[in-house]
Coordinates of all heavy atoms in Angstrom, one line a residue:
R1242 N -112.4 -88.8 211.7 CA -111.0 -88.7 211.4 C -110.4 -90.0 211.3 O -110.6 -90.8 212.2 CB -110.3 -87.8 212.4 CG -110.7 -86.4 212.3 CD -109.9 -85.5 213.2 NE -110.2 -84.2 212.9 CZ -109.3 -83.2 212.8 NH1 -108.1 -83.4 213.1 NH2 -109.7 -82.0 212.5
T1243 N -109.6 -90.3 210.3 CA -109.0 -91.6 210.2 C -107.5 -91.4 210.1 O -107.0 -90.4 209.7 CB -109.5 -92.3 208.9 OG1 -109.1 -91.5 207.8 CG2 -110.9 -92.6 208.9
T1244 N -106.8 -92.4 210.6 CA -105.4 -92.4 210.5 C -105.0 -93.4 209.5 O -105.7 -94.4 209.3 CB -104.7 -92.8 211.9 OG1 -105.2 -94.0 212.3 CG2 -105.0 -91.7 212.9
P1245 N -103.9 -93.2 208.8 CA -103.5 -94.2 207.8 C -103.1 -95.5 208.4 O -102.6 -95.6 209.5 CB -102.3 -93.5 207.1 CG -101.8 -92.4 208.0 CD -103.0 -92.1 208.9
M1246 N -103.4 -96.6 207.7 CA -103.1 -97.9 208.1 C -101.5 -98.1 208.0 O -100.9 -97.7 207.0 CB -103.8 -98.9 207.3 CG -105.3 -99.0 207.5 SD -105.8 -99.4 209.1 CE -105.3 -101.1 209.1
P1247 N -100.9 -98.7 209.0 CA -99.5 -98.9 208.9 C -99.2 -99.9 207.8 O -100.0 -100.8 207.5 CB -99.1 -99.5 210.2 CG -100.3 -100.1 210.8 CD -101.5 -99.2 210.2
R1248 N -98.1 -99.7 207.1 CA -97.7 -100.6 206.0 C -97.0 -101.8 206.6 O -96.0 -101.7 207.3 CB -96.8 -99.9 205.1 CG -96.4 -100.7 203.9 CD -95.7 -99.8 202.9 NE -95.1 -100.6 201.8 CZ -93.9 -100.7 201.5 NH1 -93.0 -99.9 202.1 NH2 -93.5 -101.5 200.5
V1249 N -97.5 -103.0 206.3 CA -96.8 -104.2 206.8 C -96.0 -104.8 205.6 O -96.5 -105.0 204.5 CB -97.9 -105.2 207.2 CG1 -97.3 -106.5 207.6 CG2 -98.8 -104.7 208.3
V1250 N -94.7 -105.0 205.9 CA -93.8 -105.5 204.9 C -93.4 -106.9 205.4 O -92.9 -107.1 206.5 CB -92.5 -104.6 204.8 CG1 -91.6 -105.2 203.8 CG2 -93.0 -103.2 204.4
T1251 N -93.6 -107.9 204.5 CA -93.1 -109.2 204.8 C -92.1 -109.7 203.8 O -92.3 -109.3 202.6 CB -94.3 -110.2 204.9 OG1 -95.0 -110.2 203.6 CG2 -95.3 -109.9 206.0
P1252 N -91.1 -110.4 204.2 CA -90.2 -110.9 203.2 C -90.8 -111.9 202.2 O -91.7 -112.6 202.6 CB -89.1 -111.5 204.0 CG -89.8 -112.0 205.3 CD -90.9 -110.9 205.5
T1253 N -90.2 -112.0 201.1 CA -90.6 -113.0 200.1 C -89.8 -114.3 200.4 O -88.6 -114.3 200.6 CB -90.3 -112.6 198.7 OG1 -90.9 -111.3 198.5 CG2 -90.9 -113.6 197.7
V1254 N -90.6 -115.4 200.6 CA -89.9 -116.7 200.8 C -90.2 -117.6 199.6 O -91.3 -117.8 199.3 CB -90.5 -117.4 202.1 CG1 -89.8 -118.7 202.3 CG2 -90.3 -116.4 203.3
R1255 N -89.1 -118.1 199.0 CA -89.2 -118.9 197.8 C -88.5 -120.2 198.0 O -87.5 -120.2 198.6 CB -88.6 -118.2 196.6 CG -89.3 -116.9 196.2 CD -88.7 -116.3 194.9 NE -89.2 -115.0 194.7 CZ -88.5 -113.9 194.8 NH1 -87.3 -113.9 195.0 NH2 -89.1 -112.7 194.6
P1256 N -89.0 -121.3 197.4 CA -88.2 -122.5 197.5 C -86.9 -122.4 196.7 O -86.8 -121.7 195.7 CB -89.1 -123.6 196.8 CG -90.5 -122.9 196.7 CD -90.3 -121.4 196.7
V1257 N -85.9 -123.0 197.3 CA -84.6 -123.1 196.6 C -84.5 -124.3 195.8 O -84.8 -125.4 196.3 CB -83.5 -123.0 197.7 CG1 -82.1 -123.1 197.0 CG2 -83.6 -121.7 198.4
T1258 N -84.1 -124.2 194.6 CA -84.1 -125.4 193.7 C -82.7 -125.9 193.5 O -82.4 -127.1 193.2 CB -84.8 -125.2 192.4 OG1 -84.2 -124.0 191.8 CG2 -86.2 -124.9 192.6
K1259 N -81.7 -125.0 193.6 CA -80.3 -125.5 193.2 C -79.4 -125.4 194.4 O -79.4 -124.4 195.1 CB -79.9 -124.7 192.0 CG -78.7 -123.9 192.1 CD -78.4 -123.2 190.8 CE -77.5 -122.0 191.1 NZ -77.1 -121.2 190.0
G1260 N -78.6 -126.4 194.6 CA -77.6 -126.4 195.6 C -78.0 -126.6 197.0 O -77.2 -126.3 197.9
S1261 N -79.2 -127.0 197.3 CA -79.6 -127.2 198.7 C -80.7 -128.3 198.7 O -81.1 -128.8 197.7 CB -80.1 -125.9 199.3 OG -81.2 -125.4 198.6
T1262 N -81.2 -128.6 199.9 CA -82.2 -129.6 200.1 C -83.5 -129.2 199.6 O -83.8 -128.0 199.5 CB -82.3 -130.0 201.6 OG1 -82.8 -128.9 202.3 CG2 -81.0 -130.5 202.1
A1263 N -84.4 -130.1 199.3 CA -85.7 -129.8 198.8 C -86.6 -129.1 199.8 O -87.6 -128.4 199.5 CB -86.4 -131.1 198.3
D1264 N -86.3 -129.3 201.1 CA -87.1 -128.7 202.2 C -86.6 -127.3 202.6 O -86.9 -126.8 203.7 CB -87.2 -129.6 203.4 CG -87.9 -130.9 203.1 OD1 -88.8 -130.8 202.2 OD2 -87.7 -131.9 203.8
S1265 N -85.8 -126.6 201.8 CA -85.3 -125.3 202.2 C -85.9 -124.2 201.4 O -86.6 -124.4 200.4 CB -83.7 -125.3 202.0 OG -83.4 -125.4 200.6
S1266 N -85.8 -123.0 201.9 CA -86.3 -121.8 201.2 C -85.4 -120.7 201.4 O -84.6 -120.7 202.3 CB -87.7 -121.5 201.8 OG -87.6 -121.2 203.1
Q1267 N -85.5 -119.7 200.6 CA -84.7 -118.5 200.7 C -85.6 -117.3 201.1 O -86.7 -117.2 200.7 CB -84.0 -118.2 199.4 CG -84.8 -118.0 198.2 CD -84.0 -117.7 197.0 OE1 -83.1 -116.9 197.0 NE2 -84.4 -118.3 195.9
V1268 N -85.0 -116.5 202.0 CA -85.7 -115.3 202.5 C -85.0 -114.1 201.7 O -83.8 -113.9 201.7 CB -85.5 -115.1 204.0 CG1 -86.1 -113.8 204.4 CG2 -86.1 -116.3 204.7
T1269 N -85.8 -113.3 201.0 CA -85.3 -112.2 200.2 C -85.8 -110.9 200.8 O -86.7 -110.8 201.6 CB -85.8 -112.3 198.7 OG1 -87.2 -112.3 198.7 CG2 -85.3 -113.6 198.1
S1270 N -85.1 -109.9 200.4 CA -85.3 -108.5 201.0 C -86.6 -107.9 200.4 O -86.7 -107.9 199.2 CB -84.1 -107.6 200.7 OG -84.4 -106.3 201.2
P1271 N -87.5 -107.4 201.2 CA -88.7 -106.8 200.7 C -88.5 -105.3 200.2 O -89.4 -104.7 199.7 CB -89.7 -106.8 201.9 CG -88.7 -106.7 203.1 CD -87.5 -107.5 202.7
L1272 N -87.3 -104.8 200.5 CA -87.0 -103.4 200.1 C -85.5 -103.2 200.0 O -84.7 -104.0 200.4 CB -87.6 -102.4 201.2 CG -86.9 -102.4 202.6 CD1 -87.2 -101.1 203.2 CD2 -87.5 -103.5 203.4
T1273 N -85.1 -102.0 199.4 CA -83.7 -101.6 199.3 C -83.3 -100.9 200.5 O -84.0 -100.0 201.0 CB -83.6 -100.7 198.0 OG1 -84.0 -101.5 196.9 CG2 -82.1 -100.3 197.8
G1274 N -82.1 -101.2 201.0 CA -81.6 -100.5 202.2 C -80.3 -101.1 202.6 O -79.5 -101.7 201.8
T1275 N -80.0 -101.0 203.9 CA -78.7 -101.4 204.5 C -79.0 -102.4 205.6 O -79.9 -102.1 206.5 CB -77.9 -100.2 205.0 OG1 -77.7 -99.3 204.0 CG2 -76.5 -100.7 205.5
V1276 N -78.3 -103.5 205.7 CA -78.5 -104.4 206.8 C -78.1 -103.7 208.1 O -76.9 -103.4 208.3 CB -77.8 -105.7 206.6 CG1 -78.0 -106.7 207.8 CG2 -78.3 -106.4 205.3
A1277 N -79.0 -103.5 209.0 CA -78.6 -102.9 210.3 C -78.2 -103.9 211.4 O -77.4 -103.6 212.2 CB -79.8 -102.0 210.8
K1278 N -78.9 -105.1 211.3 CA -78.6 -106.1 212.4 C -78.9 -107.5 211.8 O -80.0 -107.6 211.2 CB -79.4 -105.8 213.6 CG -79.3 -106.8 214.7 CD -80.1 -106.4 215.9 CE -80.0 -107.5 217.0 NZ -80.9 -107.1 218.1
V1279 N -78.0 -108.4 212.0 CA -78.3 -109.8 211.7 C -78.5 -110.5 213.1 O -77.6 -110.6 213.9 CB -77.2 -110.5 210.9 CG1 -77.5 -111.9 210.7 CG2 -76.9 -109.7 209.6

Side-chain angles (χ1 to χ4, degrees):
R1242 291 190 169 217
T1243 60
T1244 56
M1246 294 294 293
R1248 182 172 172 235
V1249 177
V1250 178
T1251 57
T1253 305
V1254 179
R1255 299 185 186 113
V1257 176
T1258 55
K1259 118 179 157 176
S1261 63
T1262 65
D1264 293 333
S1265 65
S1266 62
Q1267 58 180 316
V1268 178
T1269 59
S1270 178
L1272 68 158
T1273 300
T1275 304
V1276 177
K1278 178 180 178 183
V1279 178

